[in-house]
Amino acid sequence: MSRFSDTNNTHVADEGFKPNGKDVEGHSSSDPAFTIHGEHPVIADRLARKLSARQVQMIAIGGTIGTGLFLGTGKSLATGGPGSMLIAYLIVGGTVLMTMMALGEMAAFVPIAGSFCTFAGRFVDDAFGFALTWNYWFNDAVSTAADLVALQLVFAYWDTAMPGWALSLIFWAVLILANIVTVRAYGEIEYWLCLLKVITITIFIILGIVSNAGGNQGLGYIGGKNWRVGDAPFVGGIGGFASVFVTAAFAYGGTESIAITAGETANPTKNIPRVVKNVFWRILIFYICSVLLIGLNVPYNTPGLSKRDSAVSPFTIIFQQVGARSAGSFINAVIVTSVISAGNHALFAGTRLLYSLAVDDHAPKVFAKLNRNKVPWVAVLSTSFLAGLCFGASFIGAGQLWTWLQNLVGVSNQIAWVSIGITSLRFRGAMKAQGKEHLLPFKNWTYPWGPWICVVLNIFIILVQGWSSFSPKFAAVDFVSYYIQLVVMLVMYVGWKLFKKTKIVSYANMDLESDVHTVSEEDLKLMEKEKTTAGKFKKVLNWIF
């Protein structure tokens, strides 16, 4: 159980933190989890802060641009049509905006690796944090597996003798190695992989416009023709429309995990708000523009799009419209690197969550072990192992398995967004009750209506998006993939609550002291450096790239 969420709602800061003795629960101050960080006790803030603002921004963009956009849009277009796909991505995108504003406010104030999962335990109920963190850790492990499975689908584009599963296993090993080295090396590798994706999507948007205007091979001017083909723009009725939400949630999923990097971000009170405000608009532009162009240029009834074992991406199709087959091979190669990058990001986030579970006494302490570079190596291996097990189930059929995994991850993402909204409302209530709102380095301008919309809208979407599993006939396996996460979350919450007899933390006793970031001398030097001409120029470059 979390040290600050026991049945008495003990608040260390209220009782007085004792650096030379014992805290109120009997922990020795020599415990590395109970050292002084400025004026605040440190519990989870023990990882090396080696990620720069440049790396964090690009990781946030590129880490969420992967299989959901490159492959998921094909299924969305086939099942819902271009109109349903565009509207669903707009609605989910707006929800993500409000979620990120709420999360950025909390992460800037308490920048730790556990992020919203740890916040749920501290600001709501320890049982809630326990259930959410395990749920989201499983989400990241499954996301890694989904990306490994997606590699098979993308690799099938080329007719080679090498089996897709062998390629996935090779890159599974590469991901493990990349996440055990220093976080600075991880950040730099991820930066360049993400930059490649961003450049590719930018080129795609330009070529998509060119192709639509008539600069293609034999199609002529396309315009809005594909919105009038067959049942377009809304295919499959309400069932088709509802089914697109889970794929949209899967595509946007991971945006919130940028806050998990807060535990390893330099000067987080300044960089996290900057990243939250800038990154979302870039992602929204990339996603909405891409989805719009896909719906305009690719008919929903294109052969292969609706097949779960399809190796065809709408991105590849559009590149082929304006060039030779080699252009398709190029974008397919980029998709391969994108899938690897997204899997790498998911493994990184899952590892930090498992580390946080151990720090909060929600998992065995062995998962909190750090190597000399302050990387939680046991958590890396354990998360990778679960991802490997999920990937091993690909004998079912890569396309079928990827669809199920996508459903699991999509719903898990939405559960996280609901939880962030609830936690944000509780956090701001406590900040006001304790008279600390003026200490917030970044304020959520959508509060209080933003978090409420996030909670209500996401609950509604979670409940209705499994419509396709009921119509035209009941599909038991699909039903399970849409709703099993809700049952697991509820069982874990109730089970831990009964076992530990936890209570909802009151505003007065809520822990708003631990792990609050204190600006260091190094942070101040970086801030002064940004005020110079060279610093301002670099700031502009960082915003662009």
Side-chain angles (χ1 to χ4, degrees):
M1 185 176 66
S2 175
R3 296 182 176 93
F4 294 94
S5 306
D6 62 15
T7 55
N8 296 319
N9 293 323
T10 304
H11 183 192
V12 169
D14 291 342
E15 298 295 329
F17 187 76
K18 303 174 179 60
N20 295 316
K22 300 281 185 178
D23 62 68
V24 293
E25 294 186 3
H27 293 279
S28 169
S29 61
S30 61
D31 186 338
F34 280 85
T35 57
I36 294 294
H37 183 64
E39 299 176 353
H40 307 288
V42 177
I43 298 176
D45 186 9
R46 291 186 281 159
L47 301 175
R49 295 192 176 277
K50 300 296 184 182
L51 293 178
S52 67
R54 170 182 63 88
Q55 293 171 331
V56 172
Q57 289 195 63
M58 191 58 69
I59 290 171
I61 300 170
T64 57
I65 296 176
T67 54
L69 183 61
F70 290 125
L71 293 179
T73 45
K75 181 176 181 293
S76 295
L77 181 61
T79 59
S84 294
M85 182 171 68
L86 180 60
I87 293 173
Y89 272 77
L90 279 169
I91 292 174
V92 176
T95 303
V96 173
L97 167 61
M98 292 178 282
T99 302
M100 290 303 293
M101 292 295 107
L103 181 56
E105 179 179 73
M106 294 185 287
F109 188 69
V110 186
I112 51 178
S115 185
F116 56 90
C117 294
T118 299
F119 300 156
R122 290 192 188 183
F123 306 150
V124 184
D125 184 350
D126 185 56
F128 187 47
F130 171 82
L132 179 62
T133 311
W134 275 112
N135 174 78
Y136 205 78
W137 171 74
F138 178 74
N139 173 4
D140 284 321
V142 171
S143 292
T144 306
D147 290 321
L148 292 174
V149 173
L151 271 178
Q152 296 183 65
L153 299 177
V154 179
F155 193 64
Y157 177 84
W158 295 291
D159 185 15
T160 66
M162 184 177 183
W165 60 264
L167 177 74
S168 295
L169 285 179
I170 292 172
F171 282 109
W172 179 56
V174 171
L175 293 183
I176 295 174
L177 291 175
N179 278 271
I180 286 184
V181 300
T182 65
V183 70
R184 180 178 291 170
Y186 158 84
E188 200 59 31
I189 293 171
E190 192 68 8
Y191 173 83
W192 291 106
L193 284 175
C194 293
L195 182 60
L196 174 63
K197 286 191 282 188
V198 171
I199 293 173
T200 301
I201 292 178
T202 302
I203 295 173
F204 166 80
I205 291 173
I206 295 172
L207 293 183
I209 295 172
V210 170
S211 178
N212 187 264
N216 52 60
Q217 294 187 330
L219 297 175
Y221 175 72
I222 299 175
K225 293 178 181 177
N226 291 324
W227 279 57
R228 299 187 295 272
V229 172
D231 295 331
F234 301 103
V235 178
I238 185 65
F241 179 67
S243 68
V244 178
F245 279 103
V246 73
T247 55
F250 176 80
Y252 278 110
T255 311
E256 71 285 346
S257 68
I258 183 57
I260 294 174
T261 66
E264 291 158 282
T265 301
N267 195 5
T269 57
K270 185 176 180 64
N271 287 327
I272 291 298
R274 179 188 298 169
V275 167
V276 166
K277 288 185 288 186
N278 290 344
V279 164
F280 175 80
W281 292 110
R282 299 187 202 176
I283 291 178
L284 186 62
I285 290 171
F286 289 141
Y287 271 88
I288 297 304
C289 287
S290 296
V291 165
L292 176 61
L293 288 170
I294 287 171
L296 288 172
N297 290 350
V298 182
Y300 78 90
N301 54 4
T302 299
L305 282 182
S306 60
K307 294 181 181 179
R308 289 173 173 173
D309 60 349
S310 173
V312 180
S313 163
F315 282 75
T316 304
I317 293 174
I318 291 178
F319 266 72
Q320 287 178 328
Q321 288 178 353
V322 297
R325 183 177 175 82
S326 58
S329 295
F330 165 73
I331 187 61
N332 219 60
V334 172
I335 294 175
V336 169
T337 62
S338 300
V339 170
I340 295 169
S341 173
N344 194 26
H345 180 72
L347 181 57
F348 171 87
T351 296
R352 272 55 187 177
L353 288 176
L354 188 55
Y355 161 81
S356 297
L357 283 165
V359 168
D360 289 337
D361 293 331
H362 290 160
K365 289 294 183 185
V366 66
F367 296 121
K369 280 191 174 183
L370 305 177
N371 62 18
R372 63 180 182 178
N373 295 318
K374 294 188 176 182
V375 173
W377 65 276
V378 178
V380 171
L381 295 178
S382 301
T383 307
S384 303
F385 179 70
L386 178 60
L389 286 180
C390 292
F391 166 72
S394 59
F395 67 88
I396 297 172
Q400 178 67 72
L401 177 64
W402 188 73
T403 299
W404 291 341
L405 294 179
Q406 177 183 253
N407 292 345
L408 287 172
V409 173
V411 174
S412 185
N413 289 335
Q414 290 163 333
I415 291 174
W417 297 342
V418 170
S419 302
I420 290 170
I422 294 172
T423 305
S424 173
L425 292 168
R426 295 278 304 160
F427 170 73
R428 280 295 288 267
M431 290 294 287
K432 183 177 181 179
Q434 296 185 24
K436 295 185 177 182
E437 285 185 296
H438 65 285
L439 298 177
L440 289 171
F442 168 65
K443 285 191 176 183
N444 173 20
W445 56 268
T446 70
Y447 177 85
W449 53 267
W452 275 114
I453 292 176
C454 179
V455 171
V456 174
L457 185 59
N458 274 299
I459 289 177
F460 175 75
I461 293 174
I462 288 172
L463 294 178
V464 303
Q465 65 190 3
W467 184 287
S468 60
S469 63
F470 295 96
S471 177
K473 64 179 181 178
F474 181 70
V477 176
D478 290 343
F479 174 81
V480 170
S481 69
Y482 280 119
Y483 296 109
I484 187 63
Q485 290 291 83
L486 299 178
V487 178
V488 171
M489 181 79 178
L490 180 62
V491 169
M492 294 185 75
Y493 173 73
V494 174
W496 190 258
K497 193 169 186 65
L498 293 176
F499 179 63
K500 290 293 185 178
K501 296 181 173 58
T502 65
K503 295 180 181 178
I504 295 178
V505 185
S506 68
Y507 286 157
N509 290 327
M510 195 175 291
D511 176 22
L512 298 175
E513 298 286 338
S514 303
D515 299 316
V516 173
H517 185 69
T518 301
V519 179
S520 65
E521 290 185 11
E522 185 176 350
D523 292 335
L524 292 173
K525 289 179 181 178
L526 289 174
M527 291 165 67
E528 287 298 321
K529 201 172 182 180
E530 286 186 353
K531 295 178 181 178
T532 64
T533 302
K536 291 178 181 178
F537 180 69
K538 186 177 180 181
K539 185 177 179 180
V540 172
L541 290 179
N542 285 342
W543 191 91
I544 296 173
F545 296 107

